[in-house]
Amino acid sequence: ETGVTQTPRHLVMGMTNKKSLKCEQHLGHNAMYWYKQSAKKPLELMFVYSLEERVENNSVPSRFSPECPNSSHLFLHLHTLQPEDSALYLCASSQSTSPGQGGGYTFGSGTRLTVV
Amino acid sequence: AQSVTQPDIHITVSEGASLELRCNYSYGATPYLFWYVQSPGQGLQLLLKYFSGDTLVQGIKGFEAEFKRSQSSFNLRKPSVHWSDAAEYFCAVGTGTASKLTFGTGTRLQVTL
C-alpha cells in the first residue's frame, strides 16, 4: 500500500466518547501533519511532527491529543469533543521537514468527524 | 512570515472555456509554490509545483501555472475546462526553512454544461 491512509473515513461520536483517528504513510517521509477543515473556513493547521517530535501546536484545545509513535504513524486522540469540532480532519506527510523545499505535502483522504 | 491570497472565493465557467485562478503570495525571498485540488469529501491532491528555473510549470490534468516574481503571483490556468474539473483549488507557499506550508483560503470552481 502506498500514499497516506487515514482511518476511519467517517466517525460519529458523542460528546463524552473517546476515539482516535489514525494516519499511516508508506512513503518514507520525515514529517507529518494534522489539519482541520471546517465548512466555509480555511484549512487550520493543528499539529506538526518532524522526525517524530512535535514541533508545532497551533493553540489546539487539550481535548485533541496527538501521538506519533514512529515516522510512519500519526494518531489524533479525541475526548469530550464539542459539536463545533465536527469537521474533515486531514493528515499529510512531507519528505522533508521543510515541505516547501521537499516538494510539498501528500494528503490522506481525511476522516469526516461528526460530534453529536 | 509568508502569506497567500486567493482573491476569488467562487468561479463559474462553462465547459470548454478557459480558466485562470489567481494566487498572490507574500514572501521576501524566492518561494516554493504549489497548487492543490480537492474534490468534495476528499483530501488535497498536488496539481503542480514551482521550485526554480522555468517560470511556466506544467502539471497534471492539463493544468499549468506561471510564476511572476514582479507581481508576486502564481496563477493557475487551463485552456479548456472539463466538467470533472469542478472542485476546490488551493494555492500554497513554502520556504526553505519553514516546517509547514501556508495555504490560501481556496477557490471553488463550478463548471456549467
Side-chain angles (χ1 to χ4, degrees):
Chain A
E1 194 174 341
T2 60
V4 178
T5 303
Q6 289 188 244
T7 54
R9 288 297 312 275
H10 301 273
L11 178 62
V12 179
M13 61 185 289
M15 289 190 283
T16 58
N17 291 159
K18 289 185 180 181
K19 296 286 184 183
S20 296
L21 309 185
K22 180 182 176 182
C23 177
E24 189 171 3
Q25 58 99 358
H26 302 276
L27 301 167
H29 285 180
N30 292 309
M32 297 185 78
Y33 309 80
W34 280 116
Y35 279 85
K36 177 184 179 183
Q37 189 177 36
S38 305
K40 303 188 187 303
K41 285 189 173 182
L43 279 168
E44 298 176 50
L45 177 64
M46 301 176 73
F47 300 104
V48 178
Y49 275 83
S50 177
L51 299 172
E52 303 165 39
E53 287 192 26
R54 190 191 314 178
V55 298
E56 190 155 339
N57 174 349
N58 276 0
S59 303
V60 179
S62 59
R63 57 185 183 270
F64 295 92
S65 175
E67 180 189 4
C68 187
N70 55 60
S71 61
S72 298
H73 294 86
L74 185 65
F75 295 89
L76 188 62
H77 303 299
L78 316 171
H79 64 99
T80 59
L81 294 192
Q82 305 298 310
E84 60 264 28
D85 297 322
S86 298
L88 182 67
Y89 287 84
L90 292 165
C91 174
S93 70
S94 170
Q95 181 179 36
S96 169
T97 55
S98 298
Q101 202 170 38
Y105 294 156
T106 300
F107 280 91
S109 297
T111 295
R112 172 67 63 187
L113 173 67
T114 303
V115 181
V116 297
Chain B
Q2 65 273 21
S3 66
V4 178
T5 302
Q6 292 181 250
D8 303 305
I9 296 173
H10 186 223
I11 283 183
T12 300
V13 299
S14 300
E15 189 174 40
S18 64
L19 171 71
E20 183 168 27
L21 301 182
R22 296 184 290 165
C23 171
N24 292 97
Y25 69 90
S26 173
Y27 181 59
T30 300
Y32 301 98
L33 295 162
F34 305 84
W35 274 100
Y36 286 86
V37 61
Q38 184 182 31
S39 298
Q42 298 296 316
L44 282 69
Q45 180 185 20
L46 181 65
L47 282 176
L48 49 76
K49 56 192 175 188
Y50 171 78
F51 282 178
S52 64
D54 194 347
T55 56
L56 186 62
V57 180
Q58 301 298 320
I60 62 171
K61 305 186 181 189
F63 285 92
E64 66 178 27
E66 186 171 11
F67 171 59
K68 292 185 177 180
R69 183 189 303 274
S70 61
Q71 298 177 20
S72 297
S73 69
F74 188 56
N75 294 348
L76 182 70
R77 300 193 295 246
K78 188 169 185 178
S80 178
V81 169
H82 188 262
W83 63 267
S84 60
D85 293 323
E88 187 142 23
Y89 292 80
F90 292 90
C91 182
V93 64
T95 72
T97 56
S99 60
K100 62 189 177 187
L101 298 182
T102 299
F103 285 84
T105 50
T107 297
R108 181 162 298 279
L109 173 66
Q110 183 177 357
V111 180
T112 58
L113 301 175

